[in-house]
Amino acid sequence: MASAETGVAEWREGHSLPQSFYTSGMTFNADMEMLSTSQWLLVDHESRIAKPGDYFLFEFGAESVIVIRNRSGDVNAFFNVCRHRGSRICLENEGNKRVLTCPYHSWSYDLNGKLRGAHLMPSDFDPTNVALAPAHVRVFEGLIFLNFMKGTPPDFDAFCAPFGALLRGQGLASAKIAARKLYPTAANWKLVVENFFECYHCNSAHPTYCSVHDKMKMLAFGAGAGSGDDQDTILYQEKLKRWEEHSEGLGYPVGMFADNAESVYFRSGNRLPIADDAKTESLDGKPLAPLMTEFGVFDGGQTGCVFNPIGTVLVNNDHAVIFHFIPKSAHQTDVEAIWLVAPHAVEGQDYQPADLMRVWDVTLGEDKTITENNQLGVNSARYQPGRYSTQERRIAEFAKWYMEAVSARPQAL
Ligand code: FES
Ligand SMILES: [Fe+2]
């Protein structure tokens, strides 16, 4: 078994990671630190907290963060830690608060985190200097991002810049949440990521997903930009170009990019057609909800935006799906999907949540099983890192990106 310390030296490019990276608690803790300080974490859509006082908790490692809308309509984020003696303040996962009152000794804070009340404090105690510790929070296209850096966070505008053009006009900012579902997965977060960014397993694991998507596209870009075999990518170019010309004619943006392993981020973005004659990502290609875009017509495209390895959004013409993976321990990851529709869409009339969820609910259920089996095999004393195929190019790049990040840690794990 590889120890965490020897893991970096043991890893060979083009191969999956040495065992300890998928099993070690120490590596897991360092991963959480790396992700929460170097990345902007996608945590939810702001329609979840539409009204002043609406909040939800984002749990990440040892941290719990209160994400709350204040009276001016801004989204604030505070570490869920009382400034008196450190108790958790909000205990419910979501809700609405006029003030944030600690359950321990009733110190209370306003929606901007300022201390409002603390009884029986000594006369030299100055409440005006006391406030909840903020987390860095930003909103882009309705998506809420957090960063836990103690000092200056990464430049958010630069981080978002490549996504702006690809998401133009598709209604993501004004969308509303229609459904959400958690898929707790007994696997390390990196196995979840590796599974999500390759379509080498699609044929054997995902009959439903394969019936929905164009076969040539799945070989070329099954898991987004940079994920497919070179030859298949070339073969698909002509078809893609024809579709792009058609989409641009309708007013839609087109394009594709992917960060490489040398980038601090692991972003990628693309607009791709779902399948011939498909208007959206549904079993029969027919719309599942009213059009979300400003172009007045379907182009059947899907905008994929990967903000980091654990946060992605797929935007179809009539609905979008946020995917985020919340690492819970070295052997456990919460996969959550959040489905969004146009703000005026009426449940039961304009869309049925079960229909909206079907393709990804089936697919994520299948992914949970194969990823858990992957972890069980990786736990074995006989596990050895294996070679990635030409349809796993994006995760070969992810492994490289991750090892770059590990090597940059103060003490390489
Ligand atoms: S720990 Fe919160 S009021 Fe005492
Ligand atoms: Fe999958």
Side-chain angles (χ1 to χ4, degrees):
M1 182 192 291
S3 75
E5 288 72 21
T6 58
V8 174
E10 205 185 291
W11 177 68
R12 284 176 300 156
E13 198 173 327
H15 292 71
S16 60
L17 304 178
Q19 184 185 52
S20 62
F21 290 103
Y22 301 119
T23 56
S24 150
M26 206 164 80
T27 300
F28 175 82
N29 291 339
D31 286 355
M32 295 298 272
E33 172 79 16
M34 178 270 284
L35 289 168
S36 61
T37 56
S38 70
Q39 304 297 303
W40 282 101
L41 301 175
L42 170 56
V43 299
D44 221 302
H45 189 271
E46 65 170 337
S47 60
R48 185 173 180 187
I49 47 172
K51 299 188 298 296
D54 283 354
Y55 82 92
F56 65 87
L57 299 183
F58 176 67
E59 313 275 353
F60 199 80
E63 303 301 347
S64 168
V65 175
I66 305 165
V67 182
I68 190 162
R69 193 174 292 277
N70 71 10
R71 307 226 174 275
S72 325
D74 301 320
V75 178
N76 283 334
F78 306 110
F79 287 90
N80 192 4
V81 180
C82 183
R83 297 312 295 263
H84 177 221
R85 281 171 45 210
S87 171
R88 284 276 166 95
I89 298 166
C90 291
L91 307 180
E92 302 285 325
N93 202 31
E94 60 185 1
N96 184 281
K97 301 270 188 197
R98 281 189 334 106
V99 289
L100 296 166
T101 303
C102 178
Y104 200 175
H105 314 95
S106 301
W107 280 29
S108 62
Y109 305 85
D110 68 20
L111 303 188
N112 291 317
K114 289 242 173 293
L115 184 64
R116 272 179 37 141
H119 61 292
L120 296 177
M121 295 304 289
S123 56
D124 63 346
F125 175 74
D126 179 5
T128 59
N129 280 335
V130 181
L132 297 176
H136 303 292
V137 59
R138 302 282 189 279
V139 178
F140 169 70
E141 284 279 348
L143 304 173
I144 303 172
F145 292 86
L146 294 183
N147 174 275
F148 293 176
M149 189 71 125
K150 274 204 177 116
T152 310
D155 182 334
F156 187 71
D157 291 339
F159 163 74
C160 287
F163 299 108
L166 277 177
L167 285 169
R168 176 178 59 80
Q170 288 156 80
L172 186 58
S174 60
K176 69 168 182 185
I177 295 173
R180 62 195 310 133
K181 187 168 173 182
L182 204 61
Y183 304 83
T185 302
N188 185 273
W189 70 274
K190 294 186 287 290
L191 291 179
V192 173
V193 168
E194 290 188 42
N195 180 64
F196 195 71
F197 290 105
E198 54 93 349
C199 212
Y200 196 40
H201 69 276
C202 288
N203 261 335
S204 48
H206 297 315
T208 302
Y209 185 86
C210 289
S211 73
V212 167
H213 286 269
D214 181 293
K215 291 198 176 7
M216 270 175 88
K217 180 197 68 174
M218 281 199 298
L219 289 169
F221 298 111
S227 64
D229 176 83
D230 281 343
Q231 200 55 38
D232 288 322
T233 306
I234 292 165
L235 285 174
Y236 183 62
Q237 278 311 321
E238 202 178 310
K239 190 170 185 183
L240 177 59
K241 200 162 182 325
R242 263 185 279 125
W243 178 81
E244 284 183 334
E245 282 167 9
H246 175 70
S247 283
E248 277 187 303
L250 298 174
Y252 279 87
V254 297
M256 183 175 292
F257 79 95
D259 285 336
N260 62 26
E262 282 72 43
S263 169
V264 171
Y265 303 121
F266 187 72
R267 299 166 301 184
S268 63
N270 47 254
R271 287 206 81 238
L272 292 165
I274 290 159
D276 297 345
D277 303 323
K279 288 191 163 27
T280 192
E281 194 178 35
S282 62
L283 291 183
D284 58 5
K286 293 190 181 135
L288 294 165
L291 187 68
M292 270 172 58
T293 79
E294 66 181 38
F295 307 111
V297 59
F298 284 77
D299 81 336
Q302 183 176 66
T303 309
C305 293
V306 177
F307 296 101
N308 56 58
I310 57 172
T312 291
V313 64
L314 297 179
V315 186
N316 305 301
N317 292 172
D318 63 343
H319 72 282
V321 193
I322 293 171
F323 301 85
H324 64 166
F325 311 145
I326 311 297
K328 304 308 274 187
S329 73
H331 292 260
Q332 188 71 36
T333 306
D334 274 352
V335 172
E336 188 176 36
I338 304 167
W339 286 263
L340 300 142
V341 293
H344 60 270
V346 179
E347 182 178 335
Q349 193 177 305
D350 295 324
Y351 69 94
Q352 306 292 343
D355 295 340
L356 196 67
M357 296 166 74
R358 185 150 295 116
V359 171
W360 274 107
D361 187 38
V362 169
T363 305
L364 291 173
E366 292 160 348
D367 279 330
K368 171 178 158 67
T369 304
I370 56 182
T371 310
E372 289 180 342
N373 288 335
N374 192 175
Q375 179 76 55
L376 290 172
V378 164
N379 292 345
S380 163
R382 290 292 178 275
Y383 165 75
Q384 286 192 327
R387 188 84 191 269
Y388 293 124
S389 71
T390 58
Q391 226 189 336
E392 295 169 295
R393 285 174 45 229
R394 194 60 187 152
I395 59 171
E397 197 69 16
F398 167 70
K400 206 170 155 191
W401 176 86
Y402 173 76
M403 292 311 268
E404 294 263 349
V406 168
S407 303
R409 287 174 186 168
Q411 283 182 314
L413 292 174

